Amino acid sequence: MNQVVRKRPALLMLALAVSLFVLSLSPMGTSATTASPLPATPNYEVKLFLDPSLVLNADYNLNSTVLNKFAMPSSKTKMSVQYMDTDQLQLDEQGWNVRLRKKEGSKDKEFELTYKKRYPITNGNIQGALAQAALDGFDANEDSYEAQVDWGYSKQTLSFSNDKKVSKSGYNGMELPSKADSRTLTISNAPGKFKNWTSSNWGTNHLAAADKFGPVDAKRWTGKWNGIKLYIEVWKIIKESGVGYDYVVEASFKTDTHAEASTLRSQLQQELIQQGWFLPIDELKTQMILHRY
Protein backbone atom coordinates (compact mmCIF):
# COMPACT_ATOMS: atom_id res chain seq x y z
CA MET A 1 0.00 0.00 0.00
CA ASN A 2 2.78 2.45 0.83
CA GLN A 3 4.44 1.74 -2.52
CA VAL A 4 1.28 2.82 -4.37
CA VAL A 5 1.09 6.08 -2.43
CA ARG A 6 4.69 6.89 -3.21
CA LYS A 7 4.12 6.36 -6.97
CA ARG A 8 1.12 8.74 -7.25
CA PRO A 9 3.13 12.00 -7.10
CA ALA A 10 5.39 10.76 -9.86
CA LEU A 11 2.42 9.87 -12.08
CA LEU A 12 0.76 13.21 -11.44
CA MET A 13 3.96 15.06 -12.30
CA LEU A 14 4.25 13.08 -15.56
CA ALA A 15 0.66 13.90 -16.56
CA LEU A 16 1.20 17.58 -15.78
CA ALA A 17 4.37 17.67 -17.86
CA VAL A 18 2.60 16.11 -20.86
CA SER A 19 -0.25 18.65 -20.57
CA LEU A 20 2.16 21.57 -20.42
CA PHE A 21 4.04 20.24 -23.45
CA VAL A 22 0.81 20.00 -25.53
CA LEU A 23 -0.22 23.51 -24.52
CA SER A 24 3.21 24.82 -25.44
CA LEU A 25 2.60 23.75 -29.05
CA SER A 26 -0.29 26.23 -29.31
CA PRO A 27 0.29 30.01 -29.50
CA MET A 28 -0.48 31.85 -26.25
CA GLY A 29 -1.50 28.60 -24.60
CA THR A 30 -4.70 28.24 -26.67
CA SER A 31 -6.12 25.01 -28.06
CA ALA A 32 -3.75 23.02 -30.26
CA THR A 33 -6.47 22.85 -32.95
CA THR A 34 -6.70 25.97 -35.16
CA ALA A 35 -10.27 26.95 -36.03
CA SER A 36 -11.11 27.22 -39.75
CA PRO A 37 -11.90 30.74 -41.02
CA LEU A 38 -15.59 31.58 -41.24
CA PRO A 39 -16.79 31.40 -44.88
CA ALA A 40 -18.23 34.42 -46.67
CA THR A 41 -21.96 34.73 -47.36
CA PRO A 42 -22.57 35.11 -51.10
CA ASN A 43 -25.48 36.51 -53.04
CA TYR A 44 -26.68 34.70 -56.17
CA GLU A 45 -26.88 35.70 -59.83
CA VAL A 46 -28.87 33.44 -62.13
CA LYS A 47 -27.85 33.54 -65.79
CA LEU A 48 -29.87 31.78 -68.50
CA PHE A 49 -29.40 32.07 -72.25
CA LEU A 50 -31.82 32.74 -75.07
CA ASP A 51 -31.65 31.70 -78.72
CA PRO A 52 -30.47 34.81 -80.60
CA SER A 53 -32.13 33.66 -83.83
CA LEU A 54 -35.52 33.79 -82.09
CA VAL A 55 -35.29 36.84 -79.81
CA LEU A 56 -33.31 39.39 -81.87
CA ASN A 57 -34.55 41.49 -84.76
CA ALA A 58 -32.63 42.41 -87.91
CA ASP A 59 -30.71 45.10 -86.02
CA TYR A 60 -29.66 42.60 -83.32
CA ASN A 61 -31.83 44.28 -80.71
CA LEU A 62 -34.45 42.46 -78.65
CA ASN A 63 -37.67 42.02 -80.59
CA SER A 64 -40.95 43.50 -79.37
CA THR A 65 -42.32 40.16 -78.13
CA VAL A 66 -39.42 39.76 -75.68
CA LEU A 67 -39.61 43.39 -74.59
CA ASN A 68 -43.33 43.10 -73.87
CA LYS A 69 -42.95 39.80 -72.04
CA PHE A 70 -40.54 41.32 -69.52
CA ALA A 71 -41.98 44.87 -69.37
CA MET A 72 -38.85 46.33 -70.93
CA PRO A 73 -38.64 49.67 -72.73
CA SER A 74 -37.05 49.71 -76.17
CA SER A 75 -34.23 51.88 -74.80
CA LYS A 76 -31.07 50.10 -73.70
CA THR A 77 -27.70 50.84 -72.16
CA LYS A 78 -24.62 50.34 -74.31
CA MET A 79 -21.47 48.88 -72.79
CA SER A 80 -17.92 48.32 -73.97
CA VAL A 81 -15.66 45.78 -72.24
CA GLN A 82 -12.08 44.58 -72.43
CA TYR A 83 -9.95 42.23 -70.32
CA MET A 84 -6.27 42.37 -69.44
CA ASP A 85 -4.09 39.24 -69.35
CA THR A 86 -0.82 37.92 -70.70
CA ASP A 87 -0.70 36.15 -74.04
CA GLN A 88 -0.38 32.90 -72.07
CA LEU A 89 -3.48 33.81 -69.99
CA GLN A 90 -1.52 33.46 -66.75
CA LEU A 91 -4.07 35.44 -64.74
CA ASP A 92 -6.96 33.34 -66.00
CA GLU A 93 -4.96 30.19 -65.26
CA GLN A 94 -5.07 31.12 -61.56
CA GLY A 95 -8.78 31.97 -61.69
CA TRP A 96 -8.30 35.75 -61.91
CA ASN A 97 -9.86 38.14 -64.43
CA VAL A 98 -9.18 41.87 -64.75
CA ARG A 99 -11.83 43.84 -66.63
CA LEU A 100 -12.27 47.44 -67.79
CA ARG A 101 -15.80 48.52 -68.69
CA LYS A 102 -17.42 51.66 -70.03
CA LYS A 103 -21.16 52.24 -69.67
CA GLU A 104 -23.18 54.63 -71.77
CA GLY A 105 -24.04 57.70 -69.73
CA SER A 106 -20.98 57.61 -67.48
CA LYS A 107 -18.42 60.41 -67.53
CA ASP A 108 -16.08 60.51 -70.52
CA LYS A 109 -12.98 59.94 -68.42
CA GLU A 110 -14.50 57.38 -66.04
CA PHE A 111 -14.21 53.59 -66.28
CA GLU A 112 -15.29 50.64 -64.16
CA LEU A 113 -12.40 48.39 -63.13
CA THR A 114 -13.01 44.90 -61.70
CA TYR A 115 -10.61 42.32 -60.25
CA LYS A 116 -12.41 38.98 -59.96
CA LYS A 117 -11.29 35.63 -58.47
CA ARG A 118 -13.30 32.57 -59.44
CA TYR A 119 -13.67 29.17 -57.77
CA PRO A 120 -15.36 26.25 -59.53
CA ILE A 121 -18.31 24.65 -57.72
CA THR A 122 -18.38 20.87 -58.15
CA ASN A 123 -21.66 18.94 -57.94
CA GLY A 124 -23.42 21.87 -56.30
CA ASN A 125 -21.05 21.91 -53.31
CA ILE A 126 -21.16 25.64 -52.66
CA GLN A 127 -19.99 25.26 -49.07
CA GLY A 128 -16.89 23.40 -50.24
CA ALA A 129 -15.96 26.23 -52.59
CA LEU A 130 -16.62 28.81 -49.86
CA ALA A 131 -14.41 26.86 -47.44
CA GLN A 132 -11.54 26.78 -49.96
CA ALA A 133 -11.94 30.49 -50.65
CA ALA A 134 -11.90 31.23 -46.91
CA LEU A 135 -8.56 29.42 -46.59
CA ASP A 136 -7.27 31.78 -49.31
CA GLY A 137 -8.39 34.80 -47.31
CA PHE A 138 -11.78 35.37 -48.95
CA ASP A 139 -13.65 34.79 -45.70
CA ALA A 140 -16.46 36.47 -43.75
CA ASN A 141 -14.12 39.25 -42.64
CA GLU A 142 -13.16 40.27 -46.20
CA ASP A 143 -15.23 43.37 -46.97
CA SER A 144 -13.48 44.68 -50.09
CA TYR A 145 -14.72 41.83 -52.31
CA GLU A 146 -18.33 40.89 -53.10
CA ALA A 147 -18.99 37.15 -52.85
CA GLN A 148 -21.38 35.80 -55.47
CA VAL A 149 -22.51 32.46 -56.88
CA ASP A 150 -23.14 32.56 -60.63
CA TRP A 151 -25.80 29.96 -61.43
CA GLY A 152 -26.30 28.97 -65.05
CA TYR A 153 -27.92 26.08 -66.89
CA SER A 154 -25.71 23.30 -65.53
CA LYS A 155 -22.77 25.08 -63.87
CA GLN A 156 -22.20 27.14 -60.76
CA THR A 157 -19.16 29.33 -60.06
CA LEU A 158 -18.19 31.19 -56.90
CA SER A 159 -16.61 34.59 -57.48
CA PHE A 160 -15.14 37.41 -55.41
CA SER A 161 -15.15 40.83 -57.09
CA ASN A 162 -13.32 44.02 -56.19
CA ASP A 163 -14.88 46.93 -58.10
CA LYS A 164 -13.43 50.40 -58.56
CA LYS A 165 -14.15 53.52 -60.59
CA VAL A 166 -11.07 55.01 -62.23
CA SER A 167 -10.41 57.99 -64.46
CA LYS A 168 -8.08 58.61 -67.39
CA SER A 169 -8.06 61.74 -69.55
CA GLY A 170 -8.06 61.68 -73.32
CA TYR A 171 -11.02 59.33 -73.89
CA ASN A 172 -14.52 60.19 -75.08
CA GLY A 173 -17.80 58.38 -75.52
CA MET A 174 -17.56 54.59 -75.32
CA GLU A 175 -13.81 54.52 -76.04
CA LEU A 176 -11.76 52.27 -73.74
CA PRO A 177 -8.14 52.94 -72.69
CA SER A 178 -5.20 51.88 -74.86
CA LYS A 179 -3.05 48.91 -73.87
CA ALA A 180 -0.46 51.16 -72.24
CA ASP A 181 -3.05 53.15 -70.28
CA SER A 182 -4.90 49.97 -69.32
CA ARG A 183 -1.68 48.55 -67.91
CA THR A 184 -1.12 51.72 -65.88
CA LEU A 185 -4.68 51.80 -64.52
CA THR A 186 -4.85 48.13 -63.59
CA ILE A 187 -1.40 48.09 -61.97
CA SER A 188 -1.86 51.26 -59.91
CA ASN A 189 -5.26 50.14 -58.58
CA ALA A 190 -4.43 46.47 -57.95
CA PRO A 191 -5.79 45.18 -54.59
CA GLY A 192 -3.45 43.27 -52.29
CA LYS A 193 -4.83 39.74 -52.73
CA PHE A 194 -4.55 39.98 -56.50
CA LYS A 195 -1.21 41.74 -56.44
CA ASN A 196 0.51 39.16 -54.22
CA TRP A 197 -1.53 36.07 -55.11
CA THR A 198 1.22 33.45 -55.37
CA SER A 199 4.24 35.65 -54.69
CA SER A 200 5.14 39.30 -54.11
CA ASN A 201 3.86 41.46 -57.02
CA TRP A 202 2.58 38.40 -58.89
CA GLY A 203 -0.46 40.17 -60.31
CA THR A 204 1.15 43.49 -61.17
CA ASN A 205 4.14 41.78 -62.81
CA HIS A 206 1.77 39.94 -65.13
CA LEU A 207 -0.19 43.12 -65.85
CA ALA A 208 3.04 44.88 -66.81
CA ALA A 209 3.30 42.39 -69.69
CA ALA A 210 -0.44 42.12 -70.36
CA ASP A 211 -2.32 42.68 -73.59
CA LYS A 212 -5.91 43.81 -73.93
CA PHE A 213 -8.61 41.37 -75.06
CA GLY A 214 -11.38 43.37 -76.67
CA PRO A 215 -13.06 45.77 -76.87
CA VAL A 216 -16.36 43.89 -76.98
CA ASP A 217 -19.68 45.70 -77.42
CA ALA A 218 -22.78 44.79 -75.44
CA LYS A 219 -26.29 46.16 -74.84
CA ARG A 220 -28.47 45.82 -71.73
CA TRP A 221 -32.24 46.07 -71.32
CA THR A 222 -33.82 46.30 -67.84
CA GLY A 223 -37.31 45.06 -66.98
CA LYS A 224 -39.45 43.42 -64.32
CA TRP A 225 -40.34 39.78 -63.82
CA ASN A 226 -42.02 38.16 -60.80
CA GLY A 227 -41.51 41.38 -58.86
CA ILE A 228 -37.74 41.50 -59.34
CA LYS A 229 -35.42 43.35 -61.70
CA LEU A 230 -34.51 41.30 -64.78
CA TYR A 231 -31.70 42.14 -67.20
CA ILE A 232 -31.22 40.90 -70.74
CA GLU A 233 -27.86 41.56 -72.36
CA VAL A 234 -26.77 41.04 -75.96
CA TRP A 235 -23.03 40.56 -76.44
CA LYS A 236 -21.37 40.90 -79.85
CA ILE A 237 -18.35 38.56 -79.78
CA ILE A 238 -16.09 37.83 -82.72
CA LYS A 239 -16.39 34.31 -84.14
CA GLU A 240 -13.66 31.73 -83.57
CA SER A 241 -12.76 32.02 -87.26
CA GLY A 242 -12.10 35.73 -86.77
CA VAL A 243 -14.70 36.63 -89.40
CA GLY A 244 -18.13 37.84 -88.34
CA TYR A 245 -19.75 37.82 -84.90
CA ASP A 246 -21.63 35.56 -82.53
CA TYR A 247 -24.45 37.19 -80.57
CA VAL A 248 -24.86 35.94 -77.00
CA VAL A 249 -28.20 36.73 -75.32
CA GLU A 250 -28.24 36.40 -71.53
CA ALA A 251 -31.12 36.90 -69.08
CA SER A 252 -30.08 37.44 -65.47
CA PHE A 253 -31.32 38.43 -62.02
CA LYS A 254 -29.85 38.61 -58.50
CA THR A 255 -31.16 37.35 -55.15
CA ASP A 256 -29.76 37.20 -51.64
CA THR A 257 -30.53 33.56 -50.84
CA HIS A 258 -29.97 30.14 -52.37
CA ALA A 259 -33.59 29.13 -51.85
CA GLU A 260 -34.98 32.14 -53.71
CA ALA A 261 -32.43 31.78 -56.52
CA SER A 262 -33.31 28.10 -56.94
CA THR A 263 -37.07 28.71 -57.07
CA LEU A 264 -36.95 31.68 -59.43
CA ARG A 265 -34.36 30.04 -61.67
CA SER A 266 -36.68 27.07 -62.24
CA GLN A 267 -39.61 29.39 -62.96
CA LEU A 268 -37.69 31.55 -65.43
CA GLN A 269 -36.26 28.54 -67.22
CA GLN A 270 -39.75 27.05 -67.57
CA GLU A 271 -41.14 30.30 -68.96
CA LEU A 272 -38.31 30.57 -71.49
CA ILE A 273 -38.94 26.97 -72.55
CA GLN A 274 -42.67 27.66 -72.97
CA GLN A 275 -41.87 30.66 -75.16
CA GLY A 276 -39.48 28.54 -77.23
CA TRP A 277 -36.57 30.90 -76.49
CA PHE A 278 -34.50 28.84 -74.07
CA LEU A 279 -30.97 27.82 -75.01
CA PRO A 280 -29.86 24.89 -72.78
CA ILE A 281 -26.16 25.76 -72.60
CA ASP A 282 -23.65 27.55 -70.38
CA GLU A 283 -22.07 30.41 -72.32
CA LEU A 284 -18.77 31.47 -70.73
CA LYS A 285 -18.47 34.98 -72.15
CA THR A 286 -15.16 35.78 -70.45
CA GLN A 287 -13.56 32.61 -71.81
CA MET A 288 -14.92 33.30 -75.29
CA ILE A 289 -13.37 36.78 -75.24
CA LEU A 290 -10.00 35.65 -73.85
CA HIS A 291 -9.66 32.94 -76.50
CA ARG A 292 -10.96 34.89 -79.49
CA TYR A 293 -9.35 38.34 -79.16
Side-chain angles (χ1 to χ4, degrees), residues 172-192:
N172 300 307
M174 299 298 293
E175 187 181 10
L176 286 170
S178 65
K179 178 170 71 174
D181 285 342
S182 294
R183 285 178 175 179
T184 299
L185 287 170
T186 56
I187 289 171
S188 61
N189 290 282

PDB file of all heavy atoms in Angstrom, residues 172-192:
ATOM      1  N   ASN A 172     -13.164  59.656 -74.944  1.00  0.00           N
ATOM      2  CA  ASN A 172     -14.518  60.188 -75.076  1.00  0.00           C
ATOM      3  C   ASN A 172     -15.493  59.073 -75.433  1.00  0.00           C
ATOM      4  O   ASN A 172     -15.110  58.032 -75.990  1.00  0.00           O
ATOM      5  CB  ASN A 172     -14.566  61.268 -76.164  1.00  0.00           C
ATOM      6  CG  ASN A 172     -13.648  62.436 -75.863  1.00  0.00           C
ATOM      7  OD1 ASN A 172     -13.721  63.016 -74.783  1.00  0.00           O
ATOM      8  ND2 ASN A 172     -12.769  62.776 -76.809  1.00  0.00           N
ATOM      9  N   GLY A 173     -16.765  59.325 -75.147  1.00  0.00           N
ATOM     10  CA  GLY A 173     -17.803  58.382 -75.523  1.00  0.00           C
ATOM     11  C   GLY A 173     -17.581  57.007 -74.920  1.00  0.00           C
ATOM     12  O   GLY A 173     -17.311  56.867 -73.724  1.00  0.00           O
ATOM     13  N   MET A 174     -17.687  55.979 -75.773  1.00  0.00           N
ATOM     14  CA  MET A 174     -17.559  54.593 -75.324  1.00  0.00           C
ATOM     15  C   MET A 174     -16.132  54.067 -75.480  1.00  0.00           C
ATOM     16  O   MET A 174     -15.881  52.877 -75.305  1.00  0.00           O
ATOM     17  CB  MET A 174     -18.521  53.706 -76.113  1.00  0.00           C
ATOM     18  CG  MET A 174     -19.988  54.075 -75.932  1.00  0.00           C
ATOM     19  SD  MET A 174     -20.534  53.900 -74.219  1.00  0.00           S
ATOM     20  CE  MET A 174     -20.427  52.128 -74.028  1.00  0.00           C
ATOM     21  N   GLU A 175     -15.199  54.939 -75.807  1.00  0.00           N
ATOM     22  CA  GLU A 175     -13.813  54.523 -76.041  1.00  0.00           C
ATOM     23  C   GLU A 175     -13.166  53.999 -74.762  1.00  0.00           C
ATOM     24  O   GLU A 175     -13.283  54.596 -73.697  1.00  0.00           O
ATOM     25  CB  GLU A 175     -13.009  55.705 -76.567  1.00  0.00           C
ATOM     26  CG  GLU A 175     -11.606  55.366 -77.004  1.00  0.00           C
ATOM     27  CD  GLU A 175     -10.847  56.595 -77.490  1.00  0.00           C
ATOM     28  OE1 GLU A 175     -11.355  57.724 -77.312  1.00  0.00           O
ATOM     29  OE2 GLU A 175      -9.754  56.413 -78.041  1.00  0.00           O
ATOM     30  N   LEU A 176     -12.473  52.870 -74.871  1.00  0.00           N
ATOM     31  CA  LEU A 176     -11.758  52.272 -73.744  1.00  0.00           C
ATOM     32  C   LEU A 176     -10.277  52.616 -73.822  1.00  0.00           C
ATOM     33  O   LEU A 176      -9.753  52.922 -74.898  1.00  0.00           O
ATOM     34  CB  LEU A 176     -11.929  50.744 -73.751  1.00  0.00           C
ATOM     35  CG  LEU A 176     -13.309  50.236 -73.315  1.00  0.00           C
ATOM     36  CD1 LEU A 176     -13.439  48.745 -73.603  1.00  0.00           C
ATOM     37  CD2 LEU A 176     -13.561  50.509 -71.844  1.00  0.00           C
ATOM     38  N   PRO A 177      -9.563  52.559 -72.695  1.00  0.00           N
ATOM     39  CA  PRO A 177      -8.141  52.935 -72.692  1.00  0.00           C
ATOM     40  C   PRO A 177      -7.282  52.032 -73.582  1.00  0.00           C
ATOM     41  O   PRO A 177      -7.579  50.868 -73.800  1.00  0.00           O
ATOM     42  CB  PRO A 177      -7.743  52.770 -71.218  1.00  0.00           C
ATOM     43  CG  PRO A 177      -9.010  52.879 -70.455  1.00  0.00           C
ATOM     44  CD  PRO A 177     -10.058  52.271 -71.336  1.00  0.00           C
ATOM     45  N   SER A 178      -6.191  52.618 -74.070  1.00  0.00           N
ATOM     46  CA  SER A 178      -5.201  51.878 -74.864  1.00  0.00           C
ATOM     47  C   SER A 178      -4.546  50.808 -74.002  1.00  0.00           C
ATOM     48  O   SER A 178      -4.728  50.770 -72.772  1.00  0.00           O
ATOM     49  CB  SER A 178      -4.131  52.836 -75.383  1.00  0.00           C
ATOM     50  OG  SER A 178      -3.393  53.372 -74.275  1.00  0.00           O
ATOM     51  N   LYS A 179      -3.755  49.959 -74.625  1.00  0.00           N
ATOM     52  CA  LYS A 179      -3.054  48.914 -73.870  1.00  0.00           C
ATOM     53  C   LYS A 179      -2.141  49.520 -72.816  1.00  0.00           C
ATOM     54  O   LYS A 179      -2.136  49.073 -71.659  1.00  0.00           O
ATOM     55  CB  LYS A 179      -2.246  48.024 -74.820  1.00  0.00           C
ATOM     56  CG  LYS A 179      -1.454  46.933 -74.088  1.00  0.00           C
ATOM     57  CD  LYS A 179      -0.857  45.912 -75.051  1.00  0.00           C
ATOM     58  CE  LYS A 179       0.279  46.478 -75.849  1.00  0.00           C
ATOM     59  NZ  LYS A 179       0.951  45.439 -76.677  1.00  0.00           N
ATOM     60  N   ALA A 180      -1.395  50.546 -73.190  1.00  0.00           N
ATOM     61  CA  ALA A 180      -0.461  51.163 -72.237  1.00  0.00           C
ATOM     62  C   ALA A 180      -1.210  51.798 -71.062  1.00  0.00           C
ATOM     63  O   ALA A 180      -0.823  51.624 -69.900  1.00  0.00           O
ATOM     64  CB  ALA A 180       0.390  52.209 -72.946  1.00  0.00           C
ATOM     65  N   ASP A 181      -2.276  52.514 -71.359  1.00  0.00           N
ATOM     66  CA  ASP A 181      -3.049  53.150 -70.281  1.00  0.00           C
ATOM     67  C   ASP A 181      -3.778  52.109 -69.437  1.00  0.00           C
ATOM     68  O   ASP A 181      -3.932  52.277 -68.219  1.00  0.00           O
ATOM     69  CB  ASP A 181      -4.046  54.153 -70.862  1.00  0.00           C
ATOM     70  CG  ASP A 181      -3.371  55.435 -71.327  1.00  0.00           C
ATOM     71  OD1 ASP A 181      -2.226  55.691 -70.900  1.00  0.00           O
ATOM     72  OD2 ASP A 181      -3.986  56.177 -72.118  1.00  0.00           O
ATOM     73  N   SER A 182      -4.238  51.041 -70.075  1.00  0.00           N
ATOM     74  CA  SER A 182      -4.904  49.971 -69.325  1.00  0.00           C
ATOM     75  C   SER A 182      -3.931  49.290 -68.370  1.00  0.00           C
ATOM     76  O   SER A 182      -4.298  48.948 -67.234  1.00  0.00           O
ATOM     77  CB  SER A 182      -5.498  48.941 -70.292  1.00  0.00           C
ATOM     78  OG  SER A 182      -6.545  49.491 -71.062  1.00  0.00           O
ATOM     79  N   ARG A 183      -2.702  49.109 -68.813  1.00  0.00           N
ATOM     80  CA  ARG A 183      -1.684  48.553 -67.907  1.00  0.00           C
ATOM     81  C   ARG A 183      -1.479  49.465 -66.700  1.00  0.00           C
ATOM     82  O   ARG A 183      -1.455  49.010 -65.559  1.00  0.00           O
ATOM     83  CB  ARG A 183      -0.361  48.372 -68.658  1.00  0.00           C
ATOM     84  CG  ARG A 183      -0.309  47.200 -69.620  1.00  0.00           C
ATOM     85  CD  ARG A 183       1.037  47.159 -70.333  1.00  0.00           C
ATOM     86  NE  ARG A 183       1.181  45.979 -71.189  1.00  0.00           N
ATOM     87  CZ  ARG A 183       2.251  45.728 -71.930  1.00  0.00           C
ATOM     88  NH1 ARG A 183       3.276  46.591 -71.917  1.00  0.00           N
ATOM     89  NH2 ARG A 183       2.310  44.636 -72.679  1.00  0.00           N
ATOM     90  N   THR A 184      -1.352  50.764 -66.962  1.00  0.00           N
ATOM     91  CA  THR A 184      -1.116  51.717 -65.876  1.00  0.00           C
ATOM     92  C   THR A 184      -2.269  51.719 -64.879  1.00  0.00           C
ATOM     93  O   THR A 184      -2.058  51.676 -63.657  1.00  0.00           O
ATOM     94  CB  THR A 184      -0.922  53.131 -66.447  1.00  0.00           C
ATOM     95  OG1 THR A 184       0.216  53.139 -67.318  1.00  0.00           O
ATOM     96  CG2 THR A 184      -0.702  54.140 -65.333  1.00  0.00           C
ATOM     97  N   LEU A 185      -3.505  51.759 -65.385  1.00  0.00           N
ATOM     98  CA  LEU A 185      -4.682  51.803 -64.519  1.00  0.00           C
ATOM     99  C   LEU A 185      -4.824  50.531 -63.688  1.00  0.00           C
ATOM    100  O   LEU A 185      -5.110  50.585 -62.484  1.00  0.00           O
ATOM    101  CB  LEU A 185      -5.945  52.018 -65.357  1.00  0.00           C
ATOM    102  CG  LEU A 185      -6.157  53.414 -65.937  1.00  0.00           C
ATOM    103  CD1 LEU A 185      -7.300  53.411 -66.935  1.00  0.00           C
ATOM    104  CD2 LEU A 185      -6.437  54.414 -64.826  1.00  0.00           C
ATOM    105  N   THR A 186      -4.652  49.393 -64.314  1.00  0.00           N
ATOM    106  CA  THR A 186      -4.854  48.126 -63.591  1.00  0.00           C
ATOM    107  C   THR A 186      -3.732  47.855 -62.598  1.00  0.00           C
ATOM    108  O   THR A 186      -3.974  47.257 -61.540  1.00  0.00           O
ATOM    109  CB  THR A 186      -4.992  46.951 -64.573  1.00  0.00           C
ATOM    110  OG1 THR A 186      -3.843  46.898 -65.441  1.00  0.00           O
ATOM    111  CG2 THR A 186      -6.243  47.084 -65.419  1.00  0.00           C
ATOM    112  N   ILE A 187      -2.522  48.287 -62.894  1.00  0.00           N
ATOM    113  CA  ILE A 187      -1.400  48.092 -61.966  1.00  0.00           C
ATOM    114  C   ILE A 187      -1.536  49.018 -60.764  1.00  0.00           C
ATOM    115  O   ILE A 187      -1.382  48.594 -59.623  1.00  0.00           O
ATOM    116  CB  ILE A 187      -0.053  48.324 -62.686  1.00  0.00           C
ATOM    117  CG1 ILE A 187       0.227  47.182 -63.670  1.00  0.00           C
ATOM    118  CG2 ILE A 187       1.091  48.442 -61.678  1.00  0.00           C
ATOM    119  CD1 ILE A 187       1.420  47.431 -64.584  1.00  0.00           C
ATOM    120  N   SER A 188      -1.832  50.289 -61.011  1.00  0.00           N
ATOM    121  CA  SER A 188      -1.864  51.265 -59.915  1.00  0.00           C
ATOM    122  C   SER A 188      -3.036  51.059 -58.968  1.00  0.00           C
ATOM    123  O   SER A 188      -2.997  51.490 -57.816  1.00  0.00           O
ATOM    124  CB  SER A 188      -1.905  52.689 -60.483  1.00  0.00           C
ATOM    125  OG  SER A 188      -3.066  52.888 -61.269  1.00  0.00           O
ATOM    126  N   ASN A 189      -4.081  50.360 -59.418  1.00  0.00           N
ATOM    127  CA  ASN A 189      -5.261  50.137 -58.578  1.00  0.00           C
ATOM    128  C   ASN A 189      -5.382  48.695 -58.080  1.00  0.00           C
ATOM    129  O   ASN A 189      -6.411  48.329 -57.493  1.00  0.00           O
ATOM    130  CB  ASN A 189      -6.523  50.509 -59.351  1.00  0.00           C
ATOM    131  CG  ASN A 189      -6.655  51.999 -59.564  1.00  0.00           C
ATOM    132  OD1 ASN A 189      -7.046  52.737 -58.671  1.00  0.00           O
ATOM    133  ND2 ASN A 189      -6.306  52.462 -60.775  1.00  0.00           N
ATOM    134  N   ALA A 190      -4.346  47.892 -58.297  1.00  0.00           N
ATOM    135  CA  ALA A 190      -4.431  46.471 -57.950  1.00  0.00           C
ATOM    136  C   ALA A 190      -4.600  46.259 -56.447  1.00  0.00           C
ATOM    137  O   ALA A 190      -3.814  46.780 -55.654  1.00  0.00           O
ATOM    138  CB  ALA A 190      -3.181  45.743 -58.436  1.00  0.00           C
ATOM    139  N   PRO A 191      -5.623  45.484 -56.015  1.00  0.00           N
ATOM    140  CA  PRO A 191      -5.787  45.184 -54.589  1.00  0.00           C
ATOM    141  C   PRO A 191      -4.761  44.141 -54.142  1.00  0.00           C
ATOM    142  O   PRO A 191      -4.206  43.395 -54.965  1.00  0.00           O
ATOM    143  CB  PRO A 191      -7.207  44.626 -54.513  1.00  0.00           C
ATOM    144  CG  PRO A 191      -7.482  44.089 -55.879  1.00  0.00           C
ATOM    145  CD  PRO A 191      -6.708  44.943 -56.839  1.00  0.00           C
ATOM    146  N   GLY A 192      -4.529  44.085 -52.831  1.00  0.00           N
ATOM    147  CA  GLY A 192      -3.448  43.268 -52.287  1.00  0.00           C
ATOM    148  C   GLY A 192      -3.530  41.795 -52.604  1.00  0.00           C
ATOM    149  O   GLY A 192      -2.524  41.161 -52.947  1.00  0.00           O
TER     150      GLY A 192
END
